[in-house]
Amino acid sequence: MKTIYWIGYIFFRSAGKAFYNLRLVNEEKLVQGGGVMMAANHESFLDPPLIGISHPENVTYLARKTLFVGLGKWLYTKWDAIPVDQENPDMTGLKKIIKALKIGKKVVMFPEGERTLTGHLNPALPGVGLIVAKSLATVQPMRILGPEKLCLEARGK
């Protein structure tokens, strides 16, 4: 695990347990080997690190391209984030995601593409199916139950 990633991992895991009673339900259902798309609902800014700390290894994140400026560019790059242009989607981001999955990385993805402001799921974006079809990666369904409870649930087999 990269040092800066490890520091973030320890920080978010410790904060989740100390302040929010963070727990992972069905941990035995987490897919361990190969490329895995970790797909979850998205309600808060804490969601990416919450999903990431479910695995004790580096995971790859998707992040809005606008976050890659100044200190954010350095930090998100160190945290293995892939910039995604939500305003003008192109194949560059999709290719990077597919490549990451093909080489066996775990990629955190929110199929809705953005946070929900109502707490209800929004429709999934069309690129998700394309990524799965092209990468042949396993999809690990996950959900975050209540930001106030901070409970992660692994779904699937």
Side-chain angles (χ1 to χ4, degrees):
M1 190 178 280
K2 297 176 190 174
T3 303
I4 194 71
Y5 188 94
W6 179 82
I7 291 168
Y9 176 87
I10 294 299
F11 172 79
F12 284 108
R13 191 161 182 105
S14 299
K17 288 184 177 186
F19 299 113
Y20 299 103
N21 195 27
L22 173 68
R23 61 193 178 95
L24 178 59
V25 178
N26 298 329
E27 189 170 358
E28 71 282 357
K29 292 184 178 184
L30 289 174
V31 178
Q32 298 300 323
V36 179
M37 177 191 292
M38 301 164 67
N41 57 318
H42 194 12
E43 294 183 10
S44 83
F45 290 110
L46 292 174
D47 296 344
L50 285 176
I51 296 296
I53 62 176
S54 67
H55 277 277
E57 60 187 75
N58 285 31
V59 298
T60 299
Y61 299 92
L62 306 183
R64 286 189 330 263
K65 183 179 176 180
T66 57
L67 295 173
F68 286 80
V69 293
L71 179 62
K73 182 176 183 177
W74 177 82
L75 185 60
Y76 283 106
T77 301
K78 294 292 184 186
W79 280 349
D80 205 15
I82 297 172
V84 177
D85 190 347
Q86 293 175 306
E87 309 272 321
N88 303 304
D90 62 6
M91 291 303 291
T92 306
L94 286 174
K95 286 179 181 178
K96 287 180 181 179
I97 297 164
I98 292 165
K99 181 179 179 183
L101 289 166
K102 281 187 171 186
I103 63 172
K105 292 188 175 189
K106 290 170 180 40
V107 177
V108 175
M109 179 173 254
F110 302 105
E112 302 165 275
E114 60 187 6
R115 284 176 286 114
T116 177
L117 301 177
T118 64
H120 299 292
L121 290 176
N122 293 323
L125 297 176
V128 176
L130 175 67
I131 292 167
V132 173
K134 293 287 186 182
S135 68
L136 301 176
T138 301
V139 178
Q140 172 76 70
M142 301 182 82
R143 68 178 177 170
I144 300 171
L145 303 170
E148 72 284 349
K149 297 176 191 161
L150 289 186
C151 176
L152 302 175
E153 180 180 16
R155 309 284 299 208
K157 296 181 180 181

